[in-house]
Amino acid sequence: MPELTLFYDGACPLCVREVRHLTRLDIHGRICCEDIQQPDFSTRYPDIDPDEARTILLARDGNDHTLKGLDVTHRAWSLVGRGALTAPLRWPLVRPVADRVYLWFARNRYTISGVLTGKRRCDSCASGQCDIDKN
């Protein structure tokens, strides 16, 4: 059983890239990544609000607690041995600012993705046929 189930937006090229990177680093199988865009998502996870999951990154830990936003990011990267990279985002003085910036980023992820990857949305990503560079 995974220590973290991460719910990500499979139509977001940046989200897909981060999940792929996490998956490559997750050599112990601690993280399960679930695409909220899959047609059966609500059936498999009826207690996860898809609208909320489209607004903010959600995850569930092994104790069935829900994590949100940068808490998910820090937990996921910690599980793959890279938590030191995200730890400053959870420091008391940085946390409120980082959380606001994250919420802005989440609202604008398709536009940001378009600038950084050349694709705003990727319908093929959600179907598992993503054509985004896998590096």
Side-chain angles (χ1 to χ4, degrees):
M1 183 167 155
E3 294 178 45
L4 187 73
T5 301
L6 186 149
F7 305 105
Y8 74 99
D9 181 355
C12 170
L14 290 177
C15 303
V16 170
R17 276 190 177 175
E18 182 164 1
V19 164
R20 283 186 179 160
H21 191 66
L22 276 169
T23 302
R24 276 195 304 274
L25 296 173
D26 186 21
I27 59 173
H28 300 293
R30 294 178 164 169
I31 303 170
C32 172
C33 298
E34 294 287 345
D35 181 356
I36 65 171
Q37 301 291 349
Q38 292 301 308
D40 65 343
F41 178 79
S42 291
T43 304
R44 292 185 303 120
Y45 296 97
D47 53 332
I48 299 294
D49 179 4
D51 291 329
E52 182 180 23
R54 281 187 273 282
T55 303
I56 188 168
L57 184 62
L58 297 178
R60 182 171 296 135
D61 68 14
N63 295 318
D64 215 26
H65 295 114
T66 300
L67 304 169
K68 297 180 180 187
L70 291 176
D71 288 335
V72 175
T73 300
H74 180 57
R75 180 72 174 133
W77 286 102
S78 294
L79 287 171
V80 298
R82 304 276 174 95
L85 298 173
T86 57
L89 299 174
R90 304 294 74 203
W91 292 348
L93 294 175
V94 176
R95 184 182 191 119
V97 174
D99 286 344
R100 276 189 232 115
V101 170
Y102 166 78
L103 289 173
W104 175 86
F105 174 87
R107 277 191 311 273
N108 295 286
R109 69 186 177 276
Y110 295 128
T111 301
I112 294 167
S113 183
V115 170
L116 296 178
T117 71
K119 285 191 156 207
R120 287 177 50 92
R121 285 183 57 95
C122 185
D123 294 328
S124 61
C125 291
S127 69
Q129 304 300 317
C130 185
D131 58 358
I132 297 172
D133 179 20
K134 294 181 177 11
N135 295 323

